[in-house]
Amino acid sequence: MNYYEEFYNHPTVRFNVNMSFIGIALTCIYFDWIRTSIGFILGVVLFAVFEYFAHRYVYHHYALTVLRKAHLKHHQDPENIKHLFFSGSVGLMYCLILTILLWLVVHDLSIGTAMLTGTFLYYFYTQWRYYVAHRPVTPGTAFADSNEHTNYSEIKSNE
């Protein structure tokens, strides 16, 4: 199996790809240039900020026992694909929480679907970068360069 197949066949990645396609379809249905563009950009930015703080502070300090243990397994064996991504249930939990929060805040399908789509597509991008950082893959583009992640991952698990 090549690395692209290994990456795509991971259940969490497949869940995210499927949610991205649903998001793209819904974004096309509720498309409005300005609101959709703003929503998409907000989705990307909010996910990037959320993921940074979740990884830096929650998974390393205050995480639920299950999430912390899973994350520490990743630090103990960073090249093992079994520990590279959280399970699909964690992705589903993120999706449900984010959907509910977005709907409570924006009450607009054009902005909300674009935000979710931006979130899922950026999540897919970060999954690929994460995969490239931990597996012996040479990415085809500079967009998958993960030097920041591997430098950051050298922070000890007990911080």
Side-chain angles (χ1 to χ4, degrees), residues 84-156:
L84 199 54
F85 306 116
F86 282 122
S87 69
S89 59
V90 173
L92 182 60
M93 180 182 68
Y94 273 14
C95 177
L96 289 174
I97 290 170
L98 184 60
T99 303
I100 291 167
L101 290 174
L102 287 176
W103 184 250
L104 291 173
V105 172
V106 296
H107 292 291
D108 183 298
L109 286 173
S110 180
I111 295 172
T113 55
M115 285 178 79
L116 279 173
T117 303
T119 297
F120 283 118
L121 289 173
Y122 191 73
Y123 185 34
F124 178 72
Y125 170 69
T126 59
Q127 285 176 321
W128 174 245
R129 288 187 60 182
Y130 203 65
Y131 180 79
V132 167
H134 291 287
R135 302 291 290 154
V137 167
T138 303
T141 68
F143 292 111
D145 181 26
S146 297
N147 288 331
E148 311 102 43
H149 175 76
T150 51
N151 292 339
Y152 175 77
S153 290
E154 291 173 8
I155 294 173
K156 294 182 181 165

Side-chain angles (χ1 to χ4, degrees), residues 22-85:
I22 291 169
I24 290 168
L26 289 172
T27 299
C28 289
I29 291 169
Y30 298 108
F31 188 79
D32 173 3
W33 267 108
I34 294 173
R35 293 184 331 192
T36 301
S37 299
I38 291 170
F40 186 85
I41 292 167
L42 281 173
V44 168
V45 169
L46 288 174
F47 180 78
V49 170
F50 173 79
E51 183 65 18
Y52 171 78
F53 283 104
H55 182 261
R56 180 68 178 103
Y57 297 106
V58 176
Y59 303 153
H60 283 263
H61 294 288
Y62 308 108
L64 298 169
T65 304
V66 175
L67 294 178
R68 183 172 173 80
K69 283 182 181 178
H71 189 69
L72 291 177
K73 281 183 184 177
H74 162 66
H75 278 274
Q76 293 164 356
D77 190 7
E79 292 186 11
N80 187 339
I81 192 161
K82 292 178 185 175
H83 307 304
L84 199 54
F85 306 116

